[in-house]
Amino acid sequence: MEEHLTVGRVAELAGVSVRTLHHYDAVGLVRPSARTAAGYRAYSADDVERLREVLAYRRLGFGLREIADLVDDPDTDAVAHLRRLRGLLMEQRDRAGAMVTAIDRELEARAMGIRTTPEEQLKVLGAQLYDAIGTAYPATRRTEPRIAARVWEALGDARTVLNVGAGTGSYEPPDRDVTAVEPSAVMRAQRPAGAAPCVAAAAESLPFEDGSFDAAMAFSTVHHWRDPIAGLREMRRVARRVVVVTYDAGDTERRERFWLTRDYLPEFADLLADWPSLADLTRAIGGRAEPVLIPWDCADGFFEAYWRRPEAYLDEQVRRAVSVWTRVGPQAERRAVDSLREDLASGRWAERNRDLVALDAAELGLRLLVA
């Protein structure tokens, strides 16, 4: 047992309680691989490495279910975890530093009798939306192969591809030379080992020369951009072909077709009030728009993905990986989830939506823009 550490020693070194380690064992998060002669838990080097990853993610604010998905990912080794953790910690450090600087400025202003504006005060806490929801992405946001096939076909013969608002790298074609652009350090840190090189930049100001790429693509990200039209024009500038998957905000029938926004979350309509029309988006790249059907068993957990699997919306982890829930606020989210839970239990949801069972795919406003 010389190569193993006892549970007490591990707890002491890690700065956690023995009770915490017992809980991690009970839930299957970190199970020690051996026992001492007296029956106590004993941790091997591999056990300690896994515990190190679990504790690091935990101290960054990840939930235990999210952590389990991260550390159990067969495509992520110890080095990839270290790189991801480093990126997350650097982001945390940078954000803390920015807050300290902002607070120091306000202290100086107040010392001179100057009261900062509400806008300036809120900027101290101003995080990008992806930074708030990005940590949940690995568990539920994956490439849906049937939709990916549409995107990759639309790329045509392009060999060099720029992926704008790339997130964790879903939908990046494996057989092309891809360069990614992603402004959120949280998302960049979660890109898997071997993913395309990723540049920290925003869609509205791409750091590339005109015509640098054969094609530029963007998947379900335009609604996060500060200026969608400017971002699309930038894509058009740097690439001869543009492929975008987004939503038709002007499709009011979509809200009626989708039971979640129709019956439980009317606040969704308010999120689209200032959203550019599909015609404006298409015009920005000089292209055309095609509908994209969402399969009933869609692997990518975006907002509409569970249209035939309503129980999924009761899962906190599913909701945390979708920006809509963050944007409507906790009160609307709580009301919608509680109402849906009641209707599922009573059978009212099944009665209202019995026609969905016969559908293999649904048209819910998802659009493929190609230029």
Side-chain angles (χ1 to χ4, degrees):
M1 298 295 295
E2 290 84 0
E3 69 274 21
H4 287 71
L5 296 176
T6 65
V7 65
R9 181 60 175 155
V10 169
E12 177 186 3
L13 291 170
V16 299
S17 67
V18 170
R19 185 175 181 178
T20 295
L21 297 179
H22 287 178
H23 178 65
Y24 288 172
D25 184 7
V27 300
L29 193 58
V30 182
R31 285 182 170 150
S33 56
R35 295 271 177 169
T36 67
Y40 294 108
R41 295 168 173 83
Y43 293 76
S44 69
D46 288 341
D47 301 333
V48 169
E49 184 172 82
R50 181 180 174 93
L51 176 64
R52 185 271 313 280
E53 293 165 2
V54 167
L55 292 176
Y57 284 123
R58 191 77 179 109
R59 288 166 187 174
L60 281 164
F62 285 65
L64 293 184
R65 291 179 63 182
E66 296 173 77
I67 294 171
D69 288 323
L70 287 168
V71 298
D72 286 331
D73 183 359
D75 297 324
T76 305
D77 60 15
V79 172
H81 279 297
L82 287 173
R83 287 174 176 163
R84 177 185 291 165
L85 288 167
R86 185 181 186 280
L88 291 168
L89 287 166
M90 293 289 284
E91 168 69 9
Q92 189 178 72
R93 183 201 66 180
D94 292 346
R95 186 175 298 167
M99 289 181 67
V100 169
T101 299
I103 289 171
D104 286 344
R105 287 173 181 167
E106 182 165 352
L107 286 171
E108 292 174 4
R110 297 220 173 195
M112 294 185 290
I114 301 171
R115 183 71 179 267
T116 55
T117 67
E119 290 81 5
E120 290 169 333
Q121 293 172 26
L122 289 175
K123 284 180 180 178
V124 176
L125 303 174
Q128 293 186 12
L129 183 59
Y130 263 158
D131 291 343
I133 68 174
T135 55
Y137 265 56
T140 64
R141 301 303 296 270
R142 307 179 184 92
T143 300
E144 164 48 54
R146 288 158 289 191
I147 297 178
R150 292 280 306 275
V151 175
W152 298 343
E153 180 183 10
L155 291 173
D157 61 357
R159 299 308 308 163
T160 58
V161 178
L162 179 68
N163 187 16
V164 181
T168 59
S170 298
Y171 298 93
E172 290 178 358
D175 58 344
R176 323 274 180 127
D177 180 7
V178 177
T179 299
V181 166
E182 172 53 52
S184 168
V186 171
M187 301 298 282
R188 293 197 304 271
Q190 295 179 88
R191 292 175 64 82
C198 191
V199 177
E204 297 86 351
S205 183
L206 296 174
F208 305 105
E209 298 292 332
D210 294 359
S212 297
F213 300 91
D214 294 333
M217 62 174 282
F219 188 93
S220 193
T221 177
V222 175
H223 54 290
H224 291 296
W225 298 354
R226 185 182 68 255
D227 187 340
I229 300 300
L232 291 173
R233 287 173 177 163
E234 274 288 271
M235 292 177 68
R236 176 81 276 186
R237 178 183 67 80
V238 302
R240 63 178 177 81
R241 176 178 285 265
V242 176
V243 177
V244 176
V245 174
T246 186
Y247 296 89
D248 182 0
D251 183 3
T252 55
E253 293 182 1
R254 163 204 184 191
R255 296 195 288 273
E256 288 302 310
R257 290 194 302 272
F258 188 30
W259 53 266
L260 182 56
T261 55
R262 181 190 66 214
D263 301 330
Y264 302 99
L265 202 64
E267 292 85 356
F268 177 77
D270 297 334
L271 303 182
L272 304 177
D274 299 322
W275 181 245
S277 69
L278 183 65
D280 288 337
L281 297 175
T282 306
R283 192 178 303 115
I285 61 173
R288 65 183 187 279
E290 304 171 1
V292 177
L293 300 184
I294 302 172
W296 76 270
D297 56 348
C298 184
D300 190 354
F302 50 78
F303 182 54
E304 297 86 352
Y306 304 98
W307 59 270
R308 218 182 85 177
R309 297 169 287 168
E311 295 83 3
Y313 294 105
L314 305 182
D315 188 335
E316 172 79 12
Q317 186 169 250
V318 166
R319 299 197 305 277
R320 290 288 66 79
V322 176
S323 62
V324 168
W325 297 104
T326 300
R327 295 172 67 193
V328 298
Q331 184 175 353
E333 177 181 2
R334 187 163 49 249
R335 188 209 65 245
V337 171
D338 289 345
S339 297
L340 176 58
R341 182 180 290 109
E342 292 174 5
D343 285 356
L344 287 172
S346 68
R348 282 193 295 270
W349 184 92
E351 176 61 26
R352 281 191 200 135
N353 301 284
R354 57 183 180 273
D355 294 341
L356 297 183
V357 178
L359 299 179
D360 291 328
E363 203 287 272
L364 295 175
L366 196 63
R367 295 290 182 267
L368 177 68
L369 311 186
V370 182

